[in-house]
Amino acid sequence: MKVSSEILDVEEGVDPQIVLANERYSIIGEILCDVYEPGHAKWRWSDSLDKVFLNRYLGLPIFLVIIWSMFNFTFQASAVFMAIIEAIFEWIGSYTSQIPIPWLASLLTDGVIGGVGFILVFVPPIMFMYFAISVLEDSGYLTRAAFVMDRIMVRMGLQGRSFIPLLLGFGCTVPAIMAARTVDGESNRLTTILVSPLMSCAARLPVYVLIAGVFFPDIAGTIVFMLYILGIVMAVSMALVFKRTIFKEESTPLLMELPMYQVPTFHGSIIHMWERSSIFLKKAGTYLLAGAIILWFISNTGPGGFGVPVEESFVSILGHFFEPIFAPLGFNWQIVAALIFGLLAKEVVVEAIGIIYAVQGEAALAGALAASITPISAIALMVFVLLYTPCIAVIGTIRKETGSNKWTVFSVAYQIVLAYVAALVIVVVGGLLIG
Amino acid sequence: MDKSGGFYSSTSADFKTAAIFAALAGASYGILGVLQILVGIGLVNPNSLISDPLGGIMLVVVALVYISGVRPLLGEDQEGYAYLAVGAIIGGILFVLQLVILGTNALGWWLQLEDWNEWILLGDLTPALLLFLPVFMVSIPMHKEKRGQKTKTDNEKGDAD
């Protein structure tokens, strides 16, 4: 589409993006006049609701209310189901621990139940979150969320279209990075790929649920909500930094067809929830099970052979080696080892914590965690998990989508540095405030 | 003045009623939201019912949506009803959220799970839950009545054509 420079000159002071969007709509209008016979004017609820949902001032607060409700629903409503699953695994564990062959009893109780069983406790919040996302998608609101954010992003010189892949990042970072293909312009696409991992994916949810539940039980839902908002803020901020430094390209206006609002069906949302949750369950039954067995093995094996205490295991050696780097954040070697294994997949962080602490059930683990880190370090830990490299699959996808080792290494490095600096700021500021 | 071109068959009196309703609903959500924030940050005596400051902010947002609808409704603009609808939707989301939390907590208590031993119903009766019910009770009959009038007017117009 060619827009004369006169338009931009005449409307000096007006955002050129708005002028361009208006021109586009004007051309669309002209084409419609030629090909479409208008009927009686209809006052439609969907259009009217958009006046409010996409309102310049109310749009963002409404978006925050909806997202806050989603995370409170995810955490608080699933708590009882988590307790039920935990009780079932504790019951199974009480039998497996009595197996007369010690290594088999340890493998099943500490490895399989302590690892995979513990991660399965977090299936309800993941299912609840996917259910909430499905409801938002099916109602037509999620598309509007991209529009609500578009206004803010365009003002910051970014492309609103980038927010759509970022929204997908709430589920999984891999499809979010792949969806960056829809973003116009090479630098816009790269920016989207680089900031997508900062959006909190479902795999990080178990870590938040565990830590927030242990240290901040009364406001756990709010803490999880704040982490997701922090993820959005960091993604937008880093995109802005990239656009102002390494990538400089004009952003293009967001022109998107908005679907009509509709009442989501319970049946449809359940199907969507199941489709997504089953992926997590398959992962738990395959990769996470294998990971739990390997983790159990190396946390029971050390230079002294098999069956050594965890403090003398290879996991301990690894954790102690990197512990000094994380000492300013208040993380002990157990947490450090869990974070290193978390590079494979974020669910492994919780799995590793369960295996390394070698305690049965969330209540016992809660006691062990509360004794080993402070509440401020707990917040720093959640922020670190939010911001550091999500998983090995994401690294592979970034390599594939960028076709560049340089950008892949840069992505991993900047995320780890950003996570460390953000966690350190929390510890320092928190320390100053609390004293 | 009949504004029947819209979703509702509305006269000036209807718009005025809707505006008063929006103002009252907005004021109710706003007052309890601010109170919840003040309790949450410790400026007012603690009350277990309304101790979540962020939850209070959410109520204030619902209030803002309702109050934003007052002006277009007083100006007899059909789109003012959209503010009422969105206020009801997000107020309804907060209501359903609290209702689900109440239900799952009751389940935990019924199953005698350890963390739910001390759960009491009163603890889950938050303003988000209590406020929505009267707003809903007023708005639904109002909505049905107006839709009925609109359908009747449309049918009469159809017959005349």
Side-chain angles (χ1 to χ4, degrees):
Chain A
M1 182 176 60
K2 195 178 173 184
V3 180
S4 71
S5 59
E6 282 172 30
I7 298 167
L8 299 176
D9 291 342
V10 168
E11 302 200 24
E12 204 175 336
V14 177
D15 188 345
Q17 303 291 359
I18 294 169
V19 178
L20 275 169
N22 285 340
E23 277 299 303
R24 283 187 180 197
Y25 278 111
S26 145
I27 290 167
I28 290 168
E30 281 169 21
I31 295 167
L32 275 175
C33 282
D34 292 338
V35 298
Y36 174 69
E37 184 76 29
H40 292 293
K42 267 190 176 177
W43 186 87
R44 289 199 308 204
W45 263 116
S46 202
D47 296 334
S48 277
L49 291 179
D50 273 343
K51 300 264 182 198
V52 188
F53 278 119
L54 304 180
N55 183 283
R56 181 181 293 270
Y57 304 107
L58 291 172
L60 188 61
I62 291 172
F63 170 70
L64 292 176
V65 170
I66 291 171
I67 298 293
W68 177 83
S69 304
M70 183 171 100
F71 292 117
N72 266 280
F73 169 73
T74 297
F75 184 82
Q76 298 199 44
S78 65
V80 69
F81 301 105
M82 289 171 68
I84 292 170
I85 295 174
E86 192 190 333
I88 292 170
F89 279 110
E90 272 182 31
W91 176 74
I92 297 170
S94 68
Y95 284 96
T96 55
S97 62
Q98 291 172 27
I99 293 172
I101 307 162
W103 70 266
L104 186 61
S106 173
L107 170 65
L108 293 176
T109 311
D110 301 329
V112 178
I113 295 173
V116 179
F118 190 55
I119 197 80
L120 286 176
V121 168
F122 297 93
V123 167
I126 288 173
M127 288 181 114
F128 277 54
M129 192 182 75
Y130 280 138
F131 179 78
I133 289 176
S134 299
V135 169
L136 290 182
E137 269 179 354
D138 295 352
S139 68
Y141 181 75
L142 214 57
T143 327
R144 266 87 181 172
F147 257 82
V148 170
M149 290 305 291
D150 175 64
R151 192 172 290 129
I152 299 163
M153 292 180 83
V154 167
R155 263 188 202 163
M156 295 174 84
L158 305 168
Q159 197 190 37
R161 202 184 301 263
S162 299
F163 198 69
I164 300 166
L166 295 185
L167 276 176
L168 290 175
F170 277 152
C172 179
T173 311
V174 171
I177 290 169
M178 290 167 82
R181 291 173 192 176
T182 60
V183 176
D184 293 335
E186 189 56 23
S187 74
N188 284 326
R189 201 172 76 84
L190 265 171
T191 307
T192 309
I193 289 172
L194 289 174
V195 302
S196 288
L198 301 177
M199 300 294 282
S200 194
C201 65
R204 292 172 228 199
L205 191 62
V207 185
Y208 308 150
V209 172
L210 172 69
I211 306 292
V214 169
F215 290 91
F216 313 99
D218 295 335
I219 51 162
T222 300
I223 294 279
V224 175
F225 162 74
M226 299 292 269
L227 284 161
Y228 275 78
I229 295 299
L230 179 67
I232 298 173
V233 170
M234 292 306 279
V236 173
S237 306
M238 286 313 297
L240 187 65
V241 170
F242 291 144
K243 293 288 287 183
R244 295 266 161 93
T245 53
I246 44 181
F247 305 122
K248 286 178 181 170
E249 192 176 290
E250 278 296 308
S251 57
T252 53
L254 179 65
L255 195 64
M256 193 167 71
E257 187 77 22
L258 290 176
M260 294 276 282
Y261 286 106
Q262 51 190 351
V263 179
T265 63
F266 185 73
H267 179 70
S269 298
I270 289 284
I271 287 173
H272 288 153
M273 177 193 79
W274 178 248
E275 280 170 355
R276 290 161 175 173
S277 305
S278 59
I279 295 169
F280 176 79
L281 289 172
K282 277 179 196 160
K283 204 173 172 184
T286 52
Y287 300 115
L288 294 179
L289 177 63
I293 293 170
I294 294 166
L295 260 169
W296 168 82
F297 183 75
I298 57 172
S299 64
N300 280 282
T301 313
F306 179 74
V308 296
V310 72
E311 288 79 14
E312 295 166 22
S313 67
F314 288 125
V315 171
S316 169
I317 293 168
L318 183 72
H320 278 113
F321 183 76
F322 287 102
E323 192 184 13
I325 300 170
F326 291 91
L329 306 182
F331 300 169
N332 58 11
W333 72 262
Q334 289 96 330
I335 300 284
V336 173
L339 289 174
I340 293 166
F341 289 115
L343 279 170
L344 298 173
K346 279 292 158 288
E347 298 94 334
V348 178
V349 174
V350 166
E351 193 175 66
I353 289 174
I355 292 171
I356 295 169
Y357 277 100
V359 284
Q360 276 289 296
E362 201 188 343
L365 189 61
L369 274 173
S372 58
I373 55 170
T374 63
I376 291 174
S377 288
I379 297 175
L381 174 60
M382 287 188 283
V383 170
F384 191 89
V385 170
L386 165 72
L387 300 176
Y388 91 114
T389 316
C391 63
I392 204 156
V394 165
I395 298 171
T397 311
I398 291 174
R399 170 70 187 81
K400 194 177 159 199
E401 292 297 310
T402 59
S404 156
N405 288 330
K406 186 188 85 175
W407 287 121
T408 309
V409 171
F410 175 76
S411 169
V412 174
Y414 106 79
Q415 284 167 53
I416 292 173
V417 171
L418 181 68
Y420 189 88
V421 171
L424 190 63
V425 167
I426 284 165
V427 171
V428 171
V429 174
L432 288 173
L433 290 176
I434 294 172
Chain B
M1 187 167 66
D2 181 16
K3 303 263 177 180
S4 55
F7 187 77
Y8 287 142
S9 171
S10 299
T11 61
S12 296
D14 294 330
F15 277 118
K16 203 169 275 178
T17 310
I20 292 168
F21 170 73
L24 284 175
S28 311
Y29 272 99
I31 290 166
L32 281 171
V34 170
L35 196 64
Q36 190 164 330
I37 295 167
L38 293 176
V39 171
I41 58 176
L43 289 177
V44 175
N45 279 338
N47 178 325
S48 65
L49 291 187
I50 48 171
S51 59
D52 176 15
L54 214 59
I57 294 172
M58 303 306 151
L59 293 181
V60 170
V61 173
V62 181
L64 287 175
V65 172
Y66 273 119
I67 288 166
S68 304
V70 173
R71 203 169 169 186
L73 285 168
L74 286 177
E76 302 190 356
D77 182 350
Q78 279 277 351
E79 277 168 2
Y81 286 113
Y83 287 88
L84 291 185
V86 173
I89 289 169
I90 57 173
I93 288 172
L94 295 175
F95 169 80
V96 171
L97 167 72
Q98 195 54 40
L99 201 64
V100 172
I101 291 170
L102 189 151
T104 55
N105 281 339
L107 177 68
W109 173 81
W110 183 68
L111 292 171
Q112 298 180 336
L113 295 172
E114 196 184 333
D115 290 348
W116 282 265
N117 281 342
E118 290 173 15
W119 175 79
I120 51 163
L121 180 67
L122 205 64
D124 278 345
L125 296 179
T126 61
L129 193 72
L130 301 173
L131 272 172
F132 184 73
L133 288 173
V135 172
F136 185 74
M137 302 278 258
V138 175
S139 58
I140 288 298
M142 206 163 90
H143 168 77
K144 279 187 177 168
E145 188 191 336
K146 295 294 156 204
R147 281 303 292 159
Q149 283 177 12
K150 167 75 180 158
T151 311
K152 198 176 160 190
T153 314
D154 286 350
N155 288 343
E156 282 168 5
K157 273 185 183 172
D159 291 344
D161 290 342

